[in-house]
């Protein structure tokens, strides 16, 4: 295995419950976190030990998106509610009971926001009015992860029915379904930076890569972890990507060859002691940020 140097910079322990969501801010040095304690915290990678509580909601946070042009946070909770948090006045927060069984991911595409939920529905929103515009029911099971390809103007959605759905981002027309993409729930989907490949991870612990230009043929199927792959995050320059798993490890891979470059684990690297739930790879100092069920956030500097 090629040697990649990764240094643990800080471990942030402000949350009082599992941390499920990380979201970039308008500046690479800042990011937000949301957790089972309902807290929304803003962190500064220049001084990572000092987080600032910006708002609180009354139930577990599963997903998170920052809208800098509206100075809002969009927050998905475990009960299917979508909170629209005004960062200028956090008391001015709207909670819209919309999805069921949880809001598992939130996307921004241009001036619109998309949420996916536990009832198998994707919804398009007008963020200024915090108003739902249209919904599409894709599955009778949870939609777990969504990503957008600007090159293809396309949304990929991973579902608990084991399928991956590809939608036209403008019309929400279903373009293609990768049936039985995984042997169990598809927990994460991410387009590679050039839009040529779609990467997916599932409860089956498999990392898979799909060729978007060749009828979604599978080009890789790899038993990457021992347990569920919860998230995939790409390095900003697109050269590498990271996977985070319920097996407590983070793995870093070459984005072209798909070779494994580094494993970050509990004992040797002082990594997470429980499931790794979400990842954010920042432009700032090439820091990789991870969060997990151990209620902590870890900042890693990738060499």
């Amino acid at each position: 295995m090629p040697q990649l140097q990764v240094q643990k910079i800080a471990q942030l322990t402000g949350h009082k419950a599992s941390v499920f969501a990380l979201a970039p801010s308008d500046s690479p040095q800042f990011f937000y976190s949301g957790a089972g304690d309902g807290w929304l915290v803003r962190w500064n990678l220049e001084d990572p030990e000092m987080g600032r509580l910006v708002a609180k909601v009354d139930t577990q946070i599963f997903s998170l998106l920052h809208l800098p042009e509206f100075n809002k946070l969009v927050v998905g909770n475990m009960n299917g509610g979508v909170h629209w948090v005004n960062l200028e006045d956090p008391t001015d927060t709207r909670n819209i009971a919309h999805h069921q069984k949880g809001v598992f991911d939130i996307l921004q595409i241009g001036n619109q926001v998309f949420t996916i939920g536990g009832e198998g529905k994707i919804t398009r929103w007008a963020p200024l009015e915090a108003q739902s515009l249209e919904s599409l029911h894709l599955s009778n099971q949870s939609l777990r992860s969504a990503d957008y390809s600007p090159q293809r103007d396309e949304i990929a959605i991973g579902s608990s029915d084991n399928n991956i759905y590809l939608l036209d981002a403008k019309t929400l027309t279903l373009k293609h379904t990768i049936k039985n993409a995984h042997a169990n729930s598809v927990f994460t989907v991410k387009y590679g930076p050039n839009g040529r490949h779609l990467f997916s991870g599932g409860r089956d612990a498999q990392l898979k890569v799909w060729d978007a230009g060749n009828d979604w043929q599978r080009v890789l199927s790899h038993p990457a972890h021992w347990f569920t792959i919860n998230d995939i995050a790409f390095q900003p320059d697109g050269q590498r990507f990271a996977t985070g798993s319920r097996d407590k490890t983070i793995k870093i891979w070459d984005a072209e060859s798909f070779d494994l470059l580094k494993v970050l684990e509990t004992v040797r690297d002082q990594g997470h002691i429980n499931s790794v739930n979400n990842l954010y790879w920042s432009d700032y100092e090439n820091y990789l940020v991870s969060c997990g069920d151990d209620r902590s956030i870890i900042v890693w500097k990738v060499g």
Side-chain angles (χ1 to χ4, degrees):
M1 187 193 304
Q3 285 303 304
L4 177 67
Q5 298 302 313
V6 180
Q7 178 187 359
K8 181 179 177 181
I9 299 296
Q11 186 153 1
L12 317 177
T13 56
H15 284 287
K16 300 184 182 301
S18 298
V19 188
F20 294 112
L22 302 170
S25 180
D26 47 342
S27 165
Q29 78 188 62
F30 293 101
F31 70 95
Y32 292 91
S33 62
D37 53 14
W39 290 7
L40 293 157
V41 180
R42 188 175 193 248
W43 305 91
N44 183 352
L45 288 170
E46 284 189 352
D47 185 14
E49 302 290 347
M50 292 299 293
R52 183 168 69 88
L53 181 68
V54 295
K56 190 176 188 307
V57 300
D58 56 6
T59 189
Q60 287 186 301
I61 295 168
F62 277 180
S63 53
L64 184 58
L65 173 71
H66 179 224
L67 298 173
E69 62 270 46
F70 300 104
N71 203 20
K72 287 180 179 178
L73 287 174
V74 189
V75 181
N77 73 34
M78 69 174 295
N79 299 325
V82 182
H83 302 261
W84 299 82
V85 180
N86 181 350
L87 289 171
E88 285 183 11
D89 178 13
T91 61
D92 177 24
T93 295
R94 293 185 63 192
N95 177 22
I96 301 172
H98 183 78
H99 292 280
Q100 300 166 18
K101 307 181 198 170
V103 179
F104 292 107
D105 211 351
I106 309 172
L107 275 181
Q108 181 182 13
I109 303 174
N111 61 356
Q112 295 181 331
V113 167
F114 296 80
T115 57
I116 59 172
E119 80 288 34
K121 183 171 69 177
I122 178 172
T123 296
R124 186 198 307 264
W125 299 78
L128 183 62
E129 300 85 1
Q131 181 178 357
S132 62
L133 300 174
E134 63 175 319
S135 295
L136 174 67
H137 194 266
L138 280 174
S139 172
N140 291 322
Q141 296 189 49
S142 299
L143 304 182
R144 300 291 313 207
S145 175
D147 197 30
Y148 173 67
S149 167
Q151 296 91 341
R152 299 176 59 82
D153 199 20
E154 180 180 83
I155 301 171
I157 297 175
S159 173
S160 287
D161 64 10
N162 309 355
N163 296 335
I164 296 173
Y165 298 95
L166 292 311
L167 308 179
D168 183 287
K170 286 189 174 66
T171 64
L172 293 187
T173 303
L174 180 62
K175 296 167 62 176
H176 186 79
T177 302
I178 305 175
K179 293 185 176 178
N180 298 311
H182 286 261
N184 210 313
S185 295
V186 184
F187 268 42
T188 179
V189 288
K190 288 283 165 43
Y191 287 97
N194 57 17
R196 187 160 44 97
H197 291 121
L198 178 69
F199 294 69
S200 64
R203 188 173 272 174
D204 58 5
Q206 296 279 322
L207 171 67
K208 299 194 179 187
V209 182
W210 311 89
D211 189 340
N214 187 22
D215 199 31
W216 301 102
Q217 292 297 307
R218 190 180 66 210
V219 296
L220 177 77
S221 182
H222 184 65
H225 286 270
W226 289 105
F227 301 115
T228 303
I229 299 174
N230 286 320
D231 198 21
I232 298 170
F234 276 86
Q235 188 173 329
D237 66 8
Q239 292 185 16
R240 305 180 184 118
F241 66 95
T243 53
S245 170
R246 196 167 70 84
D247 68 10
K248 310 172 190 176
T249 68
I250 299 164
K251 296 187 177 183
I252 300 176
W253 311 78
D254 185 284
E256 284 294 324
S257 67
F258 315 131
D259 290 335
L260 179 62
L261 303 177
K262 186 73 174 178
V263 180
L264 301 173
E265 55 188 33
T266 305
V267 177
R268 184 188 61 212
D269 304 291
Q270 290 78 55
H272 290 279
I273 60 172
N274 295 107
S275 175
V276 181
N277 295 330
N278 205 222
L279 302 168
Y280 160 55
W281 207 322
S282 172
D283 253 335
Y284 182 81
E285 300 288 345
N286 205 23
Y287 282 170
L288 175 64
V289 184
S290 58
C291 67
D293 278 355
D294 56 8
R295 306 180 179 185
S296 76
I297 299 165
I298 299 180
V299 180
W300 310 89
K301 182 172 176 58
V302 182

